[in-house]
PDB file of all heavy atoms in Angstrom:
ATOM      1  N   ASP G 895     -16.867 -21.655   1.474  1.00 94.00           N
ATOM      2  CA  ASP G 895     -16.493 -22.473   0.343  1.00 94.00           C
ATOM      3  C   ASP G 895     -15.507 -23.545   0.744  1.00 94.00           C
ATOM      4  O   ASP G 895     -15.451 -24.707   0.277  1.00 94.00           O
ATOM      5  CB  ASP G 895     -16.055 -21.708  -0.815  1.00 94.00           C
ATOM      6  CG  ASP G 895     -17.118 -20.813  -1.424  1.00 94.00           C
ATOM      7  OD1 ASP G 895     -18.331 -21.279  -1.415  1.00 94.00           O
ATOM      8  OD2 ASP G 895     -16.859 -19.749  -1.782  1.00 94.00           O
ATOM      9  N   ILE G 896     -14.547 -23.023   1.603  1.00 95.00           N
ATOM     10  CA  ILE G 896     -13.546 -23.969   2.015  1.00 95.00           C
ATOM     11  C   ILE G 896     -14.113 -25.063   2.912  1.00 95.00           C
ATOM     12  O   ILE G 896     -13.753 -26.278   2.783  1.00 95.00           O
ATOM     13  CB  ILE G 896     -12.371 -23.224   2.873  1.00 95.00           C
ATOM     14  CG1 ILE G 896     -11.651 -22.288   1.881  1.00 95.00           C
ATOM     15  CG2 ILE G 896     -11.546 -24.112   3.480  1.00 95.00           C
ATOM     16  CD1 ILE G 896     -10.759 -21.222   2.553  1.00 95.00           C
ATOM     17  N   ALA G 897     -14.995 -24.755   3.825  1.00 96.00           N
ATOM     18  CA  ALA G 897     -15.613 -25.711   4.572  1.00 96.00           C
ATOM     19  C   ALA G 897     -16.404 -26.728   3.754  1.00 96.00           C
ATOM     20  O   ALA G 897     -16.307 -27.935   4.105  1.00 96.00           O
ATOM     21  CB  ALA G 897     -16.669 -24.965   5.633  1.00 96.00           C
ATOM     22  N   ARG G 898     -17.096 -26.348   2.792  1.00 97.00           N
ATOM     23  CA  ARG G 898     -17.928 -27.339   1.921  1.00 97.00           C
ATOM     24  C   ARG G 898     -16.925 -28.184   1.147  1.00 97.00           C
ATOM     25  O   ARG G 898     -17.225 -29.431   1.037  1.00 97.00           O
ATOM     26  CB  ARG G 898     -18.757 -26.570   1.022  1.00 97.00           C
ATOM     27  CG  ARG G 898     -19.942 -25.955   1.610  1.00 97.00           C
ATOM     28  CD  ARG G 898     -21.111 -26.986   1.940  1.00 97.00           C
ATOM     29  NE  ARG G 898     -21.720 -27.357   0.574  1.00 97.00           N
ATOM     30  CZ  ARG G 898     -22.202 -28.590   0.353  1.00 97.00           C
ATOM     31  NH1 ARG G 898     -22.158 -29.523   1.250  1.00 97.00           N
ATOM     32  NH2 ARG G 898     -22.740 -28.793  -0.765  1.00 97.00           N
ATOM     33  N   ARG G 899     -15.739 -27.701   0.754  1.00 96.00           N
ATOM     34  CA  ARG G 899     -14.856 -28.553   0.071  1.00 96.00           C
ATOM     35  C   ARG G 899     -14.282 -29.585   0.900  1.00 96.00           C
ATOM     36  O   ARG G 899     -14.213 -30.771   0.638  1.00 96.00           O
ATOM     37  CB  ARG G 899     -13.646 -27.731  -0.538  1.00 96.00           C
ATOM     38  CG  ARG G 899     -12.646 -28.576  -1.266  1.00 96.00           C
ATOM     39  CD  ARG G 899     -11.655 -27.756  -2.011  1.00 96.00           C
ATOM     40  NE  ARG G 899     -11.047 -26.677  -1.321  1.00 96.00           N
ATOM     41  CZ  ARG G 899     -10.028 -26.739  -0.339  1.00 96.00           C
ATOM     42  NH1 ARG G 899      -9.695 -27.949  -0.051  1.00 96.00           N
ATOM     43  NH2 ARG G 899      -9.629 -25.706   0.077  1.00 96.00           N
ATOM     44  N   GLN G 900     -13.898 -29.035   2.221  1.00 97.00           N
ATOM     45  CA  GLN G 900     -13.294 -30.057   3.142  1.00 97.00           C
ATOM     46  C   GLN G 900     -14.420 -31.029   3.589  1.00 97.00           C
ATOM     47  O   GLN G 900     -13.992 -32.232   3.809  1.00 97.00           O
ATOM     48  CB  GLN G 900     -12.776 -29.263   4.395  1.00 97.00           C
ATOM     49  CG  GLN G 900     -11.490 -28.441   3.989  1.00 97.00           C
ATOM     50  CD  GLN G 900     -11.029 -27.572   5.135  1.00 97.00           C
ATOM     51  OE1 GLN G 900     -11.724 -27.350   6.030  1.00 97.00           O
ATOM     52  NE2 GLN G 900      -9.724 -27.204   4.958  1.00 97.00           N
ATOM     53  N   ASP G 901     -15.710 -30.669   3.704  1.00 98.00           N
ATOM     54  CA  ASP G 901     -16.679 -31.669   3.942  1.00 98.00           C
ATOM     55  C   ASP G 901     -16.727 -32.786   2.917  1.00 98.00           C
ATOM     56  O   ASP G 901     -16.836 -33.861   3.143  1.00 98.00           O
ATOM     57  CB  ASP G 901     -18.096 -30.986   4.142  1.00 98.00           C
ATOM     58  CG  ASP G 901     -18.201 -30.115   5.305  1.00 98.00           C
ATOM     59  OD1 ASP G 901     -17.353 -30.153   6.207  1.00 98.00           O
ATOM     60  OD2 ASP G 901     -19.194 -29.327   5.428  1.00 98.00           O
ATOM     61  N   GLY G 902     -16.569 -32.262   1.621  1.00 97.00           N
ATOM     62  CA  GLY G 902     -16.582 -33.208   0.527  1.00 97.00           C
ATOM     63  C   GLY G 902     -15.402 -34.109   0.604  1.00 97.00           C
ATOM     64  O   GLY G 902     -15.550 -35.309   0.239  1.00 97.00           O
ATOM     65  N   ASP G 903     -14.332 -33.592   1.033  1.00 97.00           N
ATOM     66  CA  ASP G 903     -13.042 -34.503   1.023  1.00 97.00           C
ATOM     67  C   ASP G 903     -13.412 -35.715   2.188  1.00 97.00           C
ATOM     68  O   ASP G 903     -12.954 -36.764   1.948  1.00 97.00           O
ATOM     69  CB  ASP G 903     -11.834 -33.640   1.556  1.00 97.00           C
ATOM     70  CG  ASP G 903     -11.392 -32.631   0.640  1.00 97.00           C
ATOM     71  OD1 ASP G 903     -11.761 -32.794  -0.612  1.00 97.00           O
ATOM     72  OD2 ASP G 903     -10.599 -31.733   0.964  1.00 97.00           O
ATOM     73  N   PHE G 904     -14.037 -35.263   3.171  1.00 97.00           N
ATOM     74  CA  PHE G 904     -14.283 -36.268   4.227  1.00 97.00           C
ATOM     75  C   PHE G 904     -15.308 -37.362   3.780  1.00 97.00           C
ATOM     76  O   PHE G 904     -15.006 -38.469   3.838  1.00 97.00           O
ATOM     77  CB  PHE G 904     -14.920 -35.446   5.456  1.00 97.00           C
ATOM     78  CG  PHE G 904     -15.413 -36.454   6.542  1.00 97.00           C
ATOM     79  CD1 PHE G 904     -14.485 -37.068   7.482  1.00 97.00           C
ATOM     80  CD2 PHE G 904     -16.688 -36.745   6.614  1.00 97.00           C
ATOM     81  CE1 PHE G 904     -14.905 -37.920   8.416  1.00 97.00           C
ATOM     82  CE2 PHE G 904     -17.134 -37.693   7.790  1.00 97.00           C
ATOM     83  CZ  PHE G 904     -16.327 -38.240   8.589  1.00 97.00           C
ATOM     84  N   PHE G 905     -16.423 -36.821   3.138  1.00 97.00           N
ATOM     85  CA  PHE G 905     -17.451 -37.822   2.690  1.00 97.00           C
ATOM     86  C   PHE G 905     -16.937 -38.616   1.534  1.00 97.00           C
ATOM     87  O   PHE G 905     -17.344 -39.809   1.507  1.00 97.00           O
ATOM     88  CB  PHE G 905     -18.728 -37.049   2.320  1.00 97.00           C
ATOM     89  CG  PHE G 905     -19.494 -36.524   3.576  1.00 97.00           C
ATOM     90  CD1 PHE G 905     -19.766 -35.073   3.638  1.00 97.00           C
ATOM     91  CD2 PHE G 905     -19.907 -37.215   4.524  1.00 97.00           C
ATOM     92  CE1 PHE G 905     -20.310 -34.629   4.717  1.00 97.00           C
ATOM     93  CE2 PHE G 905     -20.579 -36.792   5.748  1.00 97.00           C
ATOM     94  CZ  PHE G 905     -20.741 -35.364   5.772  1.00 97.00           C
ATOM     95  N   CYS G 906     -16.095 -38.062   0.662  1.00 97.00           N
ATOM     96  CA  CYS G 906     -15.598 -38.889  -0.473  1.00 97.00           C
ATOM     97  C   CYS G 906     -14.429 -39.703  -0.075  1.00 97.00           C
ATOM     98  O   CYS G 906     -13.867 -40.365  -1.041  1.00 97.00           O
ATOM     99  CB  CYS G 906     -15.252 -37.917  -1.541  1.00 97.00           C
ATOM    100  SG  CYS G 906     -16.730 -37.177  -2.346  1.00 97.00           S
ATOM    101  N   GLU G 907     -13.957 -39.575   1.193  1.00 97.00           N
ATOM    102  CA  GLU G 907     -12.756 -40.375   1.603  1.00 97.00           C
ATOM    103  C   GLU G 907     -11.541 -40.166   0.701  1.00 97.00           C
ATOM    104  O   GLU G 907     -10.892 -41.086   0.407  1.00 97.00           O
ATOM    105  CB  GLU G 907     -13.151 -41.780   1.661  1.00 97.00           C
ATOM    106  CG  GLU G 907     -14.253 -42.168   2.673  1.00 97.00           C
ATOM    107  CD  GLU G 907     -14.577 -43.637   2.800  1.00 97.00           C
ATOM    108  OE1 GLU G 907     -15.089 -44.234   1.999  1.00 97.00           O
ATOM    109  OE2 GLU G 907     -14.164 -44.229   3.868  1.00 97.00           O
ATOM    110  N   ARG G 908     -11.258 -38.889   0.432  1.00 96.00           N
ATOM    111  CA  ARG G 908     -10.050 -38.614  -0.343  1.00 96.00           C
ATOM    112  C   ARG G 908      -8.905 -38.669   0.632  1.00 96.00           C
ATOM    113  O   ARG G 908      -8.920 -38.380   1.790  1.00 96.00           O
ATOM    114  CB  ARG G 908     -10.289 -37.153  -0.874  1.00 96.00           C
ATOM    115  CG  ARG G 908     -11.405 -36.922  -1.833  1.00 96.00           C
ATOM    116  CD  ARG G 908     -11.438 -35.647  -2.471  1.00 96.00           C
ATOM    117  NE  ARG G 908     -12.601 -35.624  -3.412  1.00 96.00           N
ATOM    118  CZ  ARG G 908     -13.614 -34.722  -3.258  1.00 96.00           C
ATOM    119  NH1 ARG G 908     -13.605 -33.831  -2.275  1.00 96.00           N
ATOM    120  NH2 ARG G 908     -14.682 -34.766  -4.256  1.00 96.00           N
ATOM    121  N   PRO G 909      -7.812 -39.129   0.004  1.00 94.00           N
ATOM    122  CA  PRO G 909      -6.522 -39.442   0.862  1.00 94.00           C
ATOM    123  C   PRO G 909      -6.047 -38.048   1.382  1.00 94.00           C
ATOM    124  O   PRO G 909      -6.114 -37.042   0.676  1.00 94.00           O
ATOM    125  CB  PRO G 909      -5.612 -40.073  -0.090  1.00 94.00           C
ATOM    126  CG  PRO G 909      -6.114 -39.759  -1.526  1.00 94.00           C
ATOM    127  CD  PRO G 909      -7.630 -39.536  -1.429  1.00 94.00           C
TER     128      PRO G 909
END
Side-chain angles (χ1 to χ4, degrees):
D895 299 322
I896 294 172
R898 283 282 286 150
R899 176 172 53 75
Q900 292 177 340
D901 291 349
D903 293 345
F904 174 80
F905 290 122
C906 293
E907 299 185 286
R908 296 184 181 119

